[in-house]
Amino acid sequence: QVQLQESGPGLVRASETLSLTCSVSGYSISTAYYWGWVRQPPGKGLEWIGIIFRTGNTYYNPSLKSRVTISLDTSKNQFSLNLISVTAADTAVYYCTRDDTFGGLIVSKFDYWGQGMLVTVSS
Amino acid sequence: QSVLTQPPSVSAAPGQKVTISCSGSSSNIGNNYVSWYQQLPGTAPKLLIYQNNLRPSGIPDRFSGSKSGTSATLGITGLQTGDEADYYCATWDTSLSAGVFGGGTKLTVL
């Protein structure tokens, strides 16, 4: 059974860096699939942040691209999210998730999700 | 504003059928697969439909998906009070080289 679990600080000061880690069990992230992050501001909808493949190939939301980095640590079977220069608008529940491909296409099939982690940006 | 457009809310009585639309463009829905997610209050989203009309194991056949041109539709039959949730469509956008979600639709079972 594949399981994902987010971890990291729940409170980050404005202008600093938000750093979260997703620990994966039940599947080796170096085998296949894309691994990514989705966030949800309180009371609002889902926002796609970005994904990373086992090769290190990444795709990011254009609106966040200048501030976001997703990386892999295959030795720990983890992947991470770094978001720099945060503001109150970055306050959200952050989910890590697994995405699939079909015929070489990314299909936005998020079949496994972490439970989510609320990160609050304080001024 | 989301790249994909969904109605903010829909409602129907128990036992009835409801559809939720998701409208996009040729750079996203028109040329990529669509998936649908159910989010119950306080929980992570759950995959309902992938590759336009396929259901993961464990998802009842009351849930169905379809796609035509640049729009997709989620159908739910035999509505139950437990179906009250937020529903999101998602796809890949080739022009953005990024994934996109719809704004979400709140389903109320009256």
Side-chain angles (χ1 to χ4, degrees), chain B residues 24-32 34 67 69-71 91:
Chain B
S25 68
S26 59
S27 67
N28 42 67
I29 291 178
N31 285 285
N32 291 285
V34 177
K67 188 183 98 167
T70 59
S71 293
T91 188

Side-chain angles (χ1 to χ4, degrees), chain A residues 40 45 48 95 102 108 110 113-114, chain B residues 35 37 39 43-44 88 91 98-99:
Chain A
Q40 185 171 36
W48 188 91
Y95 296 99
F102 183 76
S108 294
F110 304 108
W113 297 70
Chain B
S35 55
Y37 301 86
Q39 187 177 34
T43 69
Y88 295 90
T91 188

Side-chain angles (χ1 to χ4, degrees), chain B residues 77-88:
Chain B
T77 60
L79 277 172
Q80 303 172 0
T81 55
D83 296 331
E84 283 203 338
D86 294 322
Y87 292 84
Y88 295 90

Side-chain angles (χ1 to χ4, degrees), chain A residues 1-4 24-27 35 98 111-113:
Chain A
Q1 175 74 350
V2 180
Q3 293 184 315
L4 288 75
V24 181
S25 59
Y27 191 87
W35 304 89
R98 187 177 84 168
D111 55 357
Y112 290 97
W113 297 70

